[in-house]
């Protein structure tokens, strides 16, 4: 997991961060960026980070907020379809996720019964669809929708979520998987560990188990609990 929000172009920072995390092993890579027109662009590819960079060579990779991910397949074969980030059905939300949602099949069947359509075989897509369903049907803000969704989830996770309707915010949460927030000069960085962050800032916050970080442009880092 890598994330950035600030005043610089996010894409090069995200790609450099993914390269720093290559030691973890992976089979696919992807990136999500919100551009100045508030379009949420998701690009992903099977294979190495170099493949993703090549795939993006003729794409719009503008924007000063984004999240990126390298995936090791757990649910669903290694493919661009199953790679992260995953869109919600409306394509308003995008998510990246480390870990395993143990009750994803049960949640997926409930969402399918409510008319939600899926495009991948992953547990991660189930989570972003669940967040969107809760957000839209209960008329909640993104933070509260994430809290309600995670309360229904059994498993381990580190996640980061973007909403193109709010291009000034990243919501990140962790349970039994590491997640680090770097605090820079009017900018924030996100990483599975500190290696993508250390060249930019020495101010890092290691989220504790059960924490949600509300990372907003121009504001101080706000950390709450999954249940409060």
């Amino acid at each position: 997991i890598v994330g950035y929000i600030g005043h610089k172009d996010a894409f090069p920072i995200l790609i450099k961060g993914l390269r720093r995390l290559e030691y973890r092993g992976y089979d696919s890579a992807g990136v999500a960026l919100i551009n100045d027109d508030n379009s949420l662009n998701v690009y992903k590819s099977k294979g190495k980070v170099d493949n993703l960079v090549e795939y993006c060579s003729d794409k719009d990779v503008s924007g000063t907020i984004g999240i990126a991910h390298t995936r090791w397949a757990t649910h669903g074969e290694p493919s661009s379809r199953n790679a992260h980030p995953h869109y919600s059905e409306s394509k308003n939300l995008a998510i990246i996720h480390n870990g395993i949602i143990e009750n994803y099949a049960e949640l997926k069947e409930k969402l399918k019964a409510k008319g939600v359509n899926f495009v991948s075989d992953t547990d991660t897509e189930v989570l972003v669809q669940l967040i969107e369903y809760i957000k839209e049907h209960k008329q909640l803000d993104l933070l509260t929708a994430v809290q309600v969704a995670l309360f229904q989830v059994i498993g381990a996770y580190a996640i980061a979520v973007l909403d193109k309707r709010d291009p000034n915010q990243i919501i990140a949460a962790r349970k039994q998987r590491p997640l680090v927030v770097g605090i820079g000069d009017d900018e924030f960085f996100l990483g599975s560990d500190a290696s993508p962050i250390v060249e930019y800032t020495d101010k890092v916050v290691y989220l504790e188990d059960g924490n949600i970080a509300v990372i907003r442009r121009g504001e101080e880092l706000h950390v709450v609990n999954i249940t409060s």
Side-chain angles (χ1 to χ4, degrees), residues 34 38 40 88 90 92-93 132 135-136 142 162-168:
I34 302 176
N38 289 0
L40 176 56
S88 62
S90 69
N92 287 326
L93 306 183
E132 175 162 271
K135 186 179 188 306
E136 300 307 318
L142 182 59
L162 293 182
D163 184 340
K164 73 177 185 182
R165 296 161 295 186
D166 188 356
N168 296 306

Side-chain angles (χ1 to χ4, degrees), residues 78-98:
S79 66
S80 58
R81 183 170 67 94
N82 288 327
H84 301 205
H86 285 286
Y87 277 125
S88 62
E89 190 173 11
S90 69
K91 295 192 173 180
N92 287 326
L93 306 183
I95 195 171
I96 52 177
H97 164 228
N98 287 344

Side-chain angles (χ1 to χ4, degrees), residues 210-227:
N211 278 172
I212 298 180
V214 183
I215 305 166
R216 289 196 64 84
R217 201 190 304 269
E219 297 183 15
E220 291 190 358
L221 177 66
H222 183 49
V223 178
V224 299
N225 197 276
I226 286 167
T227 54

